[in-house]
Amino acid sequence: MADLVRINVDGEDIQVPASISVAAAVLGHKHEKHAFHNAKDGSPRSPFCLMGVCFECMMEIDGVENVQSCLVPVREGMVIRRQYKSKTDKG
């Protein structure tokens, strides 16, 4: 069995395999049609490529906004938030 790590997604602690990306962890945990949202306008999105090309998987990871979650491996204690609209956006 794969090693598990505990991460926090939108305020909820979950355990996921240590070998997966943040995007895969969120997709596996959030059983919603659109687990991701555009940081600029809040429109629903879903990761398309899962290899860093499409930028549809942007999330806030450990307080840093607009991180490509498909390129970041999960690690113990990570805090992840889905972005609905950027905190710095004035519009």
Side-chain angles (χ1 to χ4, degrees), residues 37-45 84-86 89:
H37 295 84
N38 183 291
K40 184 75 173 164
D41 64 12
S43 62
R45 298 281 191 251
Y84 292 96
K85 196 165 184 181
S86 175
D89 184 29

Side-chain angles (χ1 to χ4, degrees), residues 19-53:
S19 60
I20 65 174
S21 71
V22 170
V26 172
L27 284 170
H29 173 68
K30 295 291 183 180
H31 302 288
E32 302 170 10
K33 185 174 181 181
H34 298 287
F36 295 78
H37 295 84
N38 183 291
K40 184 75 173 164
D41 64 12
S43 62
R45 298 281 191 251
S46 291
F48 181 69
C49 70
L50 293 173
M51 62 181 193
V53 176

